[in-house]
Amino acid sequence: MTTTAPAAHAHPPRRLTVLLTAALAAALALAGAASAWAWQAQQQARSAEARAWAAQAQAALDEDPERALLLALQAVTATHQDGRGPVTAEAEAALHAALANAHWRQTLTAHTSQVFDVAFSPDGTRLASASRDGTAIIWDTISGEPLLTLTGHDRLVNGAAFSPDGTKLATAGWDDSAMVWDAASGEPLARLTGHLGAVFAAAFSPDGAKLATASGDGRVKVWAWASGAALLTLRGHIGVVGAVTFSPDGERVATAGQDGTARVWDAATGELRLTYTGHTGAVTGAAYSPDGAWLATSGEDGSVQVWDATSGERVTALHGHTGAVTALAFDPTCYPPPEDSSATCAWQLVTAGYDHTARLWDVDSGEARLVLRGHTDAVFGVALTTAGGGRRLATAGADGTVRLWDLGSGAATLSLPGAAGAAFSPEGTRLATAGAEGVTVWDFASGQAQLTLDTPMLGAVAFSPQGDRLAALGTDRAVRVWDAAGGALLTTINAFGEGGPVFDPNGTRLATANYWDRTAAVWDAATGERLATLTGHSDTVFAIAFSPDGTRLITGSGDGSARVWEAATGEEQLKLTGQQDAVFAAAFSPDGQLLASAGNDHTVRLWDAAGGAPRLTLTGHTSAVMALAFSPQGARLASASLDETVRVWDTATGELRYTIADDGGAVMGVTFSPEGKWLATVNADGSARVYAAEVEALMAQARARLTRTWTAEECRVYLHVATCPPTP
């Protein structure tokens, strides 16, 4: 029998197999590490690009707001695409800042030549424009669509003005005439002839019965427009008279002339009352302050002069335009004056100029609060309205366009009136506001009121977790609970409240911070029965909030402490004493692991909720912090301050992610929507405003605001490419 030996090395020795396997694993590990290093290097490079574009966006805010938006979007998309990838803090902050500076809303383009003047109807729903193309157009200010085109003048149309009741429109023409039209139908009602030169401006008297016209013949006429009778002819200017306006009481007529003077006349007799001679060139515009105390004039010398309307003495001068100032208008809002001022109101006005800009000025300080860029040529006309809420501006340009602007923060997606407090419903479709005029429940999508309750409120308002009830604190310091659908009053709790009310997570209890006795209390939300009293603070209790599980409460007090309590018994569990002054705000994080407090020392502090150990101190506010809100996921914390800003922080690192500078004054409240997409603020001017809080919503909002894409020069300078990419 023959035995065959096995072939040598038919299978590799076990040792060799192990070595080969180890080598392969090492190679794969090295390849994986190399890939990870390459990915990390790529991410670092993208982050560096994002930071550079973000810095360029911040630098472009005043110079070119649309470039700032493009650069901010580029910064975000450098690291974040298709909903994936991180966003650098610098890019997020730049996008918020660029949106806040994006005040334009619409560009109206039906005219075929230069636009000289614009005027809002009294209710703000329509806008009239006058153009070199020989037409006046009445526009719908919501849709931006032309409603009427008026074609009665033979040549250029220089000016337009609505009657005080909005039913008539007056136009001033190069054909030496003024016309009055039915503003609804466009039917011509009167043609006023008698000037020996072009009519440059027209203005109705406050009662609408008279019309004043200013002409190139050096004269101003006051007409009883319905009959066509010339009541007065005002002579005194040498050369063109380019602007005319009535005083708010209708007793005076102010005119602006090419002779470098502005003049004030008695509207009844035509007697010359005052002559203003402060400009060094032609005077191009004149406008009275809403109270009639001041007269502001604009000039070819690039200045705005503000005069005492009674004495004729100059009050102040505004400088900033780099060319002639062509027109001006006062904001009708009476703003609170500085503490050291004896004035009743602090007035603001808007101007237009040859430098392609419109500007919003604070008259007291002489500072330009906003510089609006967008026109590509001189801006000839400007009009402002506060009708319908907010402040809207219209500008008329030599570039043939009319532009509509929102003078509020460009980042706000919704602004609601009458708010000293605000709360989202649990499903996020409603927003409740409370203030001196009562409580209103708004449809969040449309901004339309769904329910109005007339009981005057201090401001604090809350939905129950089920969304079926609404609680608010009244001016009598009682808490009222209503049915959130129909508005039926369910319960009144005489809580003597200062902070709250807040519902517990089940909706069965309410908690209030009490005004008089330095305590807080827990109440049965259905019966109003007091369930527990929290005693220990030595000063007014300003803030109160339940923990996510409803077992604990946190309070903030004027005694400088925040305290944590057992909700069932009112027993004190923790005392947090890091704040250096009154604590105005306190909150639990959504997971219950963190506590937040803030107050009069301008800081926000984060604490461990279990033992009270301090975690982070967040600094940056320059005045008292009045309210706090965690995002629903707990990753961010928003703080609202008297310094007129909301700051949003990373709760893990303490990094400031972005700042919302709110032009509604001091920010008294802040809250996130349930899904964290939106952030609502409550402001000292009585408004509630809503901002995008998630980057996807922010990017969509920014893209909707853009009216152009990259220029070739921008692609070369900022993107370093020869061919421009699509809009980011």
Side-chain angles (χ1 to χ4, degrees):
M1 178 175 171
T2 303
T3 303
T4 304
H9 310 300
H11 298 284
R14 180 177 179 81
R15 177 181 176 81
L16 181 58
T17 301
V18 172
L19 289 173
L20 288 172
T21 302
L24 179 60
L28 289 172
L30 286 172
S35 177
W37 291 332
W39 180 87
Q40 186 176 15
Q42 187 181 51
Q43 286 299 106
Q44 289 174 345
R46 288 176 176 173
S47 295
E49 283 184 324
R51 293 187 181 96
W53 282 321
Q56 291 168 335
Q58 296 278 9
L61 288 173
D62 290 333
E63 179 184 350
D64 190 333
E66 290 210 80
R67 183 193 302 158
L69 261 187
L70 287 165
L71 286 166
L73 281 167
Q74 189 75 12
V76 170
T77 57
T79 59
H80 179 87
Q81 294 181 0
D82 299 324
R84 297 192 299 268
V87 178
T88 68
E90 294 87 349
E92 189 172 12
L95 189 52
H96 275 277
L99 263 174
N101 204 44
H103 296 280
W104 67 92
R105 290 297 178 270
Q106 288 178 297
T107 301
L108 313 181
T109 58
H111 283 295
T112 59
S113 188
Q114 296 175 325
V115 187
F116 294 133
D117 196 17
V118 282
F120 278 105
S121 62
D123 63 4
T125 63
R126 292 165 295 159
L127 180 77
S129 57
S131 172
R132 186 188 183 97
D133 66 10
T135 70
I137 296 178
I138 297 178
W139 310 79
D140 182 299
T141 58
I142 303 301
S143 68
E145 294 297 319
L147 300 173
L148 294 170
T149 299
L150 311 178
T151 58
H153 287 284
D154 294 336
R155 300 174 67 187
L156 290 64
V157 183
N158 295 315
F162 275 98
S163 62
D165 63 3
T167 62
K168 313 294 188 300
L169 182 76
T171 55
W174 196 267
D175 57 5
D176 302 353
S177 75
M179 295 185 69
V180 179
W181 312 75
D182 184 294
S185 67
E187 179 187 356
L189 302 177
R191 181 185 291 272
L192 307 175
T193 58
H195 282 293
L196 303 177
V199 181
F200 286 101
F204 281 99
S205 60
D207 63 4
K210 300 175 184 177
L211 188 75
T213 54
S215 172
D217 64 8
R219 300 174 182 180
V220 174
K221 289 182 178 287
V222 179
W223 311 78
W225 67 265
S227 67
L231 305 176
L232 295 172
T233 299
L234 311 178
R235 298 176 175 88
H237 283 289
I238 300 171
V240 172
V241 185
V244 62
T245 186
F246 279 91
S247 62
D249 61 9
E251 295 181 359
R252 292 160 289 168
V253 175
T255 57
Q258 194 176 36
D259 59 5
T261 70
R263 300 177 185 237
V264 176
W265 316 76
D266 187 295
T269 67
E271 179 185 357
L272 179 64
R273 294 287 188 86
L274 291 169
T275 301
Y276 303 94
T277 57
H279 289 281
T280 57
V283 185
T284 57
Y288 277 99
S289 61
D291 61 358
W294 290 347
L295 179 71
T297 56
S298 56
E300 284 188 352
D301 59 6
S303 76
V304 175
Q305 308 284 335
V306 182
W307 314 85
D308 184 296
T310 302
S311 68
E313 295 181 2
R314 189 169 68 178
V315 176
T316 189
L318 310 177
H319 298 277
H321 281 285
T322 57
V325 185
T326 56
L328 74 171
F330 271 94
D331 181 340
T333 307
C334 175
Y335 295 97
E339 292 182 1
D340 58 353
S341 172
S342 60
T344 304
C345 296
W347 297 114
Q348 295 181 6
L349 59 80
V350 290
T351 57
Y354 261 82
D355 58 4
H356 307 186
T357 71
R359 301 178 186 235
L360 173 68
W361 302 84
D362 182 273
V363 178
D364 282 323
S365 68
E367 295 180 358
R369 296 175 64 91
L370 287 176
V371 179
L372 304 175
R373 293 179 171 87
H375 285 284
T376 58
D377 206 333
V379 185
F380 288 138
V382 65
L384 188 150
T385 183
T386 57
R391 291 192 296 173
R392 291 176 292 156
L393 185 73
T395 52
D399 58 8
T401 70
V402 173
R403 292 195 173 222
L404 297 179
W405 315 75
D406 185 338
L407 296 188
S409 172
T413 62
L414 181 65
S415 181
L416 301 172
F424 281 99
S425 60
E427 78 288 351
T429 62
R430 294 167 292 166
L431 182 66
T433 58
E437 296 180 2
V439 178
T440 303
V441 178
W442 309 84
D443 177 77
F444 182 57
S446 67
Q448 299 299 308
Q450 293 182 331
L451 177 67
T452 301
L453 307 169
D454 294 332
T455 306
M457 294 288 131
L458 283 177
V461 61
F463 276 98
S464 65
Q466 299 79 19
D468 59 343
R469 286 161 296 153
L470 196 64
L473 181 64
T475 54
D476 58 1
R477 308 222 175 244
V479 173
R480 289 171 175 81
V481 182
W482 293 274
D483 176 85
L489 180 64
L490 303 176
T491 309
T492 300
I493 302 171
N494 293 316
F496 300 103
E498 172 66 26
V502 291
F503 280 96
D504 75 351
N506 297 321
T508 58
R509 294 171 295 170
L510 280 167
T512 58
N514 299 336
Y515 182 70
W516 299 110
D517 58 7
R518 304 174 182 178
T519 69
V522 181
W523 312 83
D524 185 296
T527 66
E529 177 188 358
R530 184 188 289 256
L531 302 177
T533 301
L534 285 53
T535 303
H537 283 296
S538 59
D539 205 332
T540 300
V541 184
F542 293 109
I544 191 164
F546 273 102
S547 62
D549 62 5
T551 62
R552 295 181 292 169
L553 286 157
I554 185 172
T555 55
S557 169
D559 63 13
S561 73
R563 305 187 188 213
V564 178
W565 316 77
E566 184 178 340
T569 65
E571 179 183 352
E572 183 179 317
Q573 295 181 335
L574 291 174
K575 181 179 180 180
L576 312 175
T577 56
Q579 232 80 39
Q580 302 302 308
D581 206 330
V583 179
F584 294 135
F588 278 93
S589 63
D591 63 4
Q593 301 299 305
L594 287 177
L595 303 169
S597 64
N600 208 36
D601 66 357
H602 309 178
T603 69
V604 178
R605 296 172 189 259
L606 292 176
W607 315 79
D608 178 78
R615 291 278 190 90
L616 293 168
T617 299
L618 312 178
T619 60
H621 283 294
T622 58
S623 191
V625 182
M626 305 304 293
L628 296 169
F630 279 96
S631 64
Q633 298 77 25
R636 301 206 172 171
L637 178 69
S639 54
S641 172
L642 297 184
D643 66 9
E644 303 185 10
T645 70
V646 172
R647 294 174 185 254
V648 178
W649 315 82
D650 185 302
T651 56
T653 65
E655 180 183 26
L656 177 64
R657 295 295 302 185
Y658 59 87
T659 300
I660 297 172
D662 203 306
D663 68 347
V667 190
M668 310 302 293
V670 64
T671 185
F672 281 95
S673 61
E675 80 288 357
K677 186 176 181 179
W678 308 103
L679 187 71
T681 64
V682 176
N683 308 287
D685 68 355
S687 68
R689 302 182 186 195
V690 179
Y691 300 86
E694 284 187 349
V695 71
E696 299 300 329
L698 202 65
M699 292 170 68
Q701 187 182 353
R703 287 165 176 152
R705 294 284 173 81
L706 285 170
T707 63
R708 68 172 180 85
T709 187
W710 299 106
T711 66
E713 178 71 5
E714 287 170 338
C715 292
R716 185 183 66 80
V717 172
Y718 299 105
L719 306 185
H720 310 294
V721 295
T723 303
C724 288
T727 300

